[in-house]
Amino acid sequence: MSRVLVLRAREDAARTAETLRAMGHEPVLSPVLEIAPTGAAIPPGPYDAVLASSAKGLDCAGADARAFQSLPFHAVGAKTAAAARALGWRPDIVAGAAESILPLLLGRYTYSVNFLYLAGRDRQPTLEAGLRAGGHRITTVTVYEARAAEALTEAARAAIEAGSIAVALHYSRRSVDIFLRLVDAAGLAQHLRTMRHAALSNEVAAPLRAVGLSPVVAEKPDEAGLLEAAKCALA
């Protein structure tokens, strides 16, 4: 049984932990980010379609967003789409990444429209910039933010110090930056090389490489891909 360090937000980490246990691994949880609603109000519109790149966008928008459920809904990620269905939305265009959904949206909307984008504070500009470049309006409402943790969990700190973590799972560049900072603050930076690292993408892997680590990068930027990368790292 390998011990796997899971660094994502608490609710997501709990789901990942279940998957890891089913695979025969022991998860060690240390959320470096905590998701919190911003309380931002959604302007009344009018809008032609709704976008979300995370299930958290729908969760944190709450009842305000449901006023727009009659509009076409487009989701980045299968998990976002599944969460939308559970809340009564009917996802139309679904793709795994902003880069893949953008051409689909531009192909569907050949005339100028106004998108309502339920977004997080820390995000890549790809979707917004691409839609505006295509002649569309996009009203972005920052409905949630990811707040940095102040320390590693005691379980994670002890496991890293003991050298018992086999592989760490890294989901975002920001979470890697926070993790490295917390490890350094705890005086554990020298232990980073005693574990393997799996990263969701090359973007996520960049700060790990910058400190001399060699993460295995997922072939597909989703959790299944990341877990497969972790499997390769452990091989």
Side-chain angles (χ1 to χ4, degrees):
M1 177 184 290
S2 299
R3 303 189 84 189
V4 180
L5 182 60
V6 183
L7 298 163
R8 60 196 319 206
R10 194 171 305 278
E11 290 184 3
D12 293 332
R15 290 191 291 269
T16 300
E18 291 180 8
T19 302
L20 289 169
R21 291 189 189 98
M23 295 170 65
H25 300 304
E26 179 187 349
V28 178
L29 308 188
S30 189
V32 297
L33 294 167
E34 289 296 344
I35 304 301
T38 63
I42 299 175
Y47 305 108
D48 301 292
V50 182
L51 303 174
S53 54
S54 169
K56 300 175 186 69
L58 294 170
D59 292 338
C60 293
D64 288 351
R66 296 193 187 108
F68 305 100
Q69 281 188 320
S70 62
L71 298 176
F73 178 81
H74 310 306
V76 177
K79 192 168 79 171
T80 306
R85 292 186 190 98
L87 291 170
W89 297 79
R90 291 188 291 177
D92 186 355
I93 297 176
V94 179
E99 293 82 358
S100 53
I101 200 172
L102 183 57
L104 300 177
L105 293 171
L106 294 175
R108 166 73 64 83
Y109 297 100
T110 57
Y111 50 93
S112 180
V113 301
N114 185 19
F115 292 96
L116 169 61
Y117 182 22
L118 305 174
R121 190 175 302 284
D122 298 289
R123 59 185 182 273
Q124 295 297 317
T126 305
L127 194 54
E128 292 156 284
L131 288 172
R132 290 191 180 106
H136 301 293
R137 293 175 59 200
I138 181 164
T139 301
T140 302
V141 183
T142 303
V143 294
Y144 71 93
E145 61 185 349
R147 298 172 182 168
E150 296 183 358
L152 296 168
T153 62
E154 180 57 31
R157 189 204 62 74
I160 293 171
E161 188 172 30
S164 65
I165 297 294
V167 62
L169 304 181
H170 299 282
Y171 288 82
S172 73
R173 180 163 185 151
R174 186 180 176 217
S175 68
V176 172
D177 288 336
I178 295 168
F179 171 65
L180 293 175
R181 185 167 69 247
L182 296 179
V183 166
D184 188 58
L188 299 173
Q190 70 273 23
H191 295 284
L192 287 172
R193 286 173 176 78
T194 67
M195 67 181 84
R196 304 292 178 88
H197 299 267
L200 195 68
S201 68
N202 282 308
E203 173 74 12
V204 175
L208 296 168
R209 291 174 175 146
V211 296
L213 301 174
S214 301
V216 177
V217 177
E219 291 187 7
K220 293 184 178 181
D222 56 24
E223 181 160 83
L226 183 60
L227 292 176
E228 186 62 30
K231 182 179 177 180
C232 293
L234 291 169

